[in-house]
Amino acid sequence: MVIMMNIRLVILGLMALILGGKLYGQEGSRGRLGILLGGMNGVSYDYSLNSHFEVGASALLGLGLGYDNATGGVSYSGFTPALEVTPRYFFSRRQDGELFHKGAYLSVRFEGQMDKWTLFPSRAIRESDRKYQYTLAFVPTFGWSIPVGERSFVRLGAGISFYRQKSIEAGVTFWDTRSGTIPIQLEMTYGIAL
């Protein structure tokens, strides 16, 4: 019930951003197609709402790499498909005629991962009694958008992931937050203004 209320609030907030951008948007707002590399790999589409705001949507494959405290080494879990919606606020103002935002930004990435559809899962995950179903997360992110040419840019960012994961173990379904774990997500996007 709490999750449904949170999802409704997110949807209402995104609708307000989109409507606000349409009412106060500038002429010549353009979309940007991007390729994401790093912990999350995939494609994205970003759309400017006005001189400071944009909203992005991404289809991703998350690479599950991390540090395992128990073994003191690198852990691998596979490639997990995910969908993401990201509103961004840019501190610098986009001028008339510019094709994309530049400079520092803050964003919140809303993400849904389908853990049960993980590709190439590790042996530990395949043999585990606990089966992960899906993960819901939001990731406050700070980053910088750098122009590469007249029509393209590179966006670099880092954020801390707050999430809940639905799991099944011994026939019991439960939500897991893995207290004590602080996942850091890195973002590197190359985008082209359409």
Side-chain angles (χ1 to χ4, degrees), residues 32-105:
R32 280 139 340 267
L33 190 61
I35 298 171
L36 286 84
L37 301 172
M40 299 302 252
N41 303 281
V43 295
S44 70
Y45 182 78
D46 301 316
Y47 187 79
S48 283
L49 299 175
N50 60 33
S51 63
H52 287 285
F53 286 100
E54 76 178 21
V55 173
S58 305
L60 309 161
L61 274 178
L63 172 60
L65 280 180
Y67 177 76
D68 188 353
N69 288 333
T71 64
V74 175
S75 66
Y76 164 79
S77 60
F79 291 92
T80 306
L83 293 175
E84 186 178 280
V85 174
T86 310
R88 285 183 199 89
Y89 175 79
F90 285 82
F91 295 103
S92 60
R93 185 177 189 83
R94 195 177 90 154
Q95 302 299 321
D96 288 335
E98 289 183 341
L99 299 179
F100 51 85
H101 289 94
K102 297 181 268 192
Y105 68 88

Side-chain angles (χ1 to χ4, degrees), residues 130-189:
R130 180 180 291 182
K131 300 299 176 197
Y132 299 103
Q133 299 301 301
Y134 57 89
T135 303
L136 300 174
F138 74 95
V139 187
T141 302
F142 177 77
W144 200 273
S145 183
I146 305 162
V148 175
E150 281 187 32
R151 303 188 66 79
S152 60
F153 65 92
V154 171
R155 192 169 54 231
L156 305 170
I160 297 175
S161 179
F162 299 92
Y163 67 95
R164 291 187 60 156
Q165 190 169 45
K166 189 169 187 177
S167 306
I168 298 175
E169 188 171 8
V172 177
T173 302
F174 59 94
W175 286 95
D176 184 13
T177 57
R178 289 190 190 176
S179 58
T181 302
I182 303 174
I184 296 174
Q185 288 193 7
L186 303 175
E187 174 188 19
M188 184 174 104
T189 304

